[in-house]
Amino acid sequence: MKAFRLLRWSGSVLSPRASPWRVHQFRPCQPRSTISLRHTSTAPSLLYRHPAENNQDQGVDEDAEELTNTLQDDEPGILEDVPEHLQKETLPRALPSPPVSKARDSAKLAALHARLLLSSRLPIETLARCLVDATADANPDFNNTSLANLGRDLYSYYTSESILCRYPRLPTAVVFAAMSAYVGPRTLAQITKEWGVELVAEPGGEVDPGYLQCKRHDSMLLGKISPFSDEDPAATVQKWQPKIVGVNRPNPERQTWRRGVSSMTVYDDEFGDLVPSKPSRGSIAKGKITTTVEDACARFVQAIMGAVYLHRGKQAAKMFFKEHILSRHLDVGSMFDFKQPTRDLSKLCAREGFESPVARILSETGRLSRHPVFVVGVFAGREKLGEGSGSSLNEARQRAAVGALKGWYLYSPLEVRVPSDTEAPNARPWKPVLVDIGEVIV
């Protein structure tokens, strides 16, 4: 009998993983080069070739053609049932980040898109780009640097206006602490963990695009620091960190000069920290720059905010901020640290034209026992400014002064409106809010 070949029609029966033509195509002895085009998520009509591919352009067509001829010589008719685009491509070459075409096939990206309740107007390719850090892919067309810069500015703007309009008398140091608590790197890293985003061990083109792509410090790669541990990674990887110098400050070489609150407001970032110098693009492309997990997660959350703003607009971005950032409870009163509250209260009363504060005992119990309790109130004339209790008269007086200072600084109007509320359609006209003189300078 004449033998018949099952190879030509078996492709419609067998799974793609077990198809015979795939077994021949992925033989290790064949060339592993191919032609691959990467498209940016924000401009899908633009065909762009990654710079890493430019060094291998020569001879790619010959290798692909040679591989096709070899397969046809080994098994006649083996490629007749294979799609045309698969006949020209073999294994994808190594890329610094996953190609954009893999975003549609990632279950992790689809789950993250649904988990965050993102609109269908935000492409899943853009979500994949938000997961690519600059340390993984130096090309700005494929990493999240631009989106993160936009998202950081939006987070800073919405957070600062919410804090200042709700608590117009807060000291500047407390405002910096509240900003860090809302949108600081540690908070955004915790949000990334709550969103269910996992970090990749080593970035590359073969990795699922649903993972956060970044190059971590050596100590993190060796397992010395858990990606989402409560331990501060900056303390352990300090020897890998470049020396932070405020590039916006005059005389940056004077590291011993005192940094006051006023200079922090003018020269430093929104958290009152020094602005580090930016690494060169060439050093990032050579893989010399690494990052901490906190910073990579922070840039990812900021990039999500920037993507929502670009694809949905201002109102959607502000709603995203309220749902994921402003909805978190923050005890602003616990951020105060008064060194001499009685002196500060006296200076405050003198500045505002009040009478000098006087401490008076309101009640007491067990004065001669081992556990006495005293309740002291601070009065300015007939007005009681604060009240506190303690095991001694001095402790109760200090707590009463602290309560009076917190009552002044934590003042909040009944109706809180922020400037961005006027951007909504049919919004009411803006009415100026209270602008306080500031904290007491002793």
Side-chain angles (χ1 to χ4, degrees), residues 52 58 62 64 129 135 144 207 220 245 258 317 321 379 417:
Q58 186 176 2
E62 291 79 359
R129 179 178 178 179
T135 57
N144 60 5
V207 181
M220 295 182 181
V245 177
R258 188 181 68 89
F321 167 78
F379 293 84
R417 292 193 67 203

Side-chain angles (χ1 to χ4, degrees), residues 192-248:
T192 304
K193 180 181 178 181
E194 295 173 359
W195 287 352
V197 178
E198 300 176 348
L199 281 83
V200 68
E202 184 68 22
E206 72 283 356
V207 181
D208 190 300
Y211 289 98
L212 180 57
Q213 314 276 328
C214 67
K215 287 186 179 181
R216 291 176 277 180
H217 287 295
D218 295 342
S219 59
M220 295 182 181
L221 295 177
L222 294 175
K224 296 181 181 179
I225 297 180
S226 175
F228 295 107
S229 64
D230 296 332
E231 181 183 358
D232 187 7
T236 306
V237 300
Q238 186 176 6
K239 59 182 179 179
W240 285 283
Q241 288 277 21
K243 188 176 182 180
I244 297 179
V245 177
V247 294
N248 295 329

Side-chain angles (χ1 to χ4, degrees), residues 350-415:
R351 191 190 72 178
E352 298 297 330
F354 302 152
E355 296 183 16
S356 299
V358 177
R360 301 172 185 172
I361 299 179
L362 301 180
S363 63
E364 64 174 282
T365 179
R367 178 185 285 263
L368 301 179
S369 66
R370 296 181 59 184
H371 303 286
V373 177
F374 301 92
V375 179
V376 176
V378 177
F379 293 84
R382 295 185 178 182
E383 297 292 335
K384 186 173 72 171
L385 303 180
E387 181 180 328
S389 61
S391 59
S392 65
L393 290 174
N394 186 35
E395 181 182 358
R397 183 169 60 91
Q398 295 286 339
R399 291 184 177 180
V402 169
L405 290 173
K406 287 185 177 181
W408 174 264
Y409 287 125
L410 293 178
Y411 160 78
S412 179
L414 296 178
E415 183 182 2

Side-chain angles (χ1 to χ4, degrees), residues 11-28:
S12 61
V13 180
L14 298 178
S15 63
R17 185 179 298 274
S19 298
W21 62 270
R22 286 186 177 269
V23 174
H24 286 273
Q25 184 179 359
F26 296 146
R27 289 184 299 180

Side-chain angles (χ1 to χ4, degrees), residues 235-289:
T236 306
V237 300
Q238 186 176 6
K239 59 182 179 179
W240 285 283
Q241 288 277 21
K243 188 176 182 180
I244 297 179
V245 177
V247 294
N248 295 329
R249 281 183 168 272
N251 304 317
E253 68 280 356
R254 302 291 186 178
Q255 297 293 320
T256 58
W257 284 12
R258 188 181 68 89
R259 295 170 52 234
V261 175
S262 300
S263 64
M264 293 167 61
T265 306
V266 176
Y267 296 113
D268 298 340
D269 60 5
E270 64 271 24
F271 309 125
D273 299 330
L274 289 174
V275 179
S277 58
K278 297 182 180 179
S280 62
R281 185 176 177 182
S283 60
I284 298 179
K286 295 178 181 178
K288 297 181 180 180
I289 303 300

Side-chain angles (χ1 to χ4, degrees), residues 11 34 37 177 221:
T34 184
L37 297 178
L221 295 177

Side-chain angles (χ1 to χ4, degrees), residues 431-442:
K431 293 183 179 180
V433 297
L434 172 66
V435 179
D436 192 71
I437 303 176
E439 64 267 26
V440 177
I441 306 298
V442 179

Side-chain angles (χ1 to χ4, degrees), residues 309-384:
Y309 179 83
L310 289 177
H311 290 276
R312 294 297 314 279
K314 298 179 181 179
Q315 298 304 318
K318 188 174 182 180
M319 183 61 63
F320 184 86
F321 167 78
K322 290 182 177 180
E323 293 176 352
H324 295 276
I325 304 297
L326 202 60
S327 60
R328 297 171 175 269
H329 173 70
L330 179 63
D331 186 10
V332 182
S334 62
M335 298 181 176
F336 288 88
D337 185 17
F338 298 103
K339 302 299 182 182
Q340 296 182 0
T342 55
R343 184 189 63 176
D344 294 345
L345 182 60
S346 299
K347 293 292 184 180
L348 177 62
C349 292
R351 191 190 72 178
E352 298 297 330
F354 302 152
E355 296 183 16
S356 299
V358 177
R360 301 172 185 172
I361 299 179
L362 301 180
S363 63
E364 64 174 282
T365 179
R367 178 185 285 263
L368 301 179
S369 66
R370 296 181 59 184
H371 303 286
V373 177
F374 301 92
V375 179
V376 176
V378 177
F379 293 84
R382 295 185 178 182
E383 297 292 335
K384 186 173 72 171

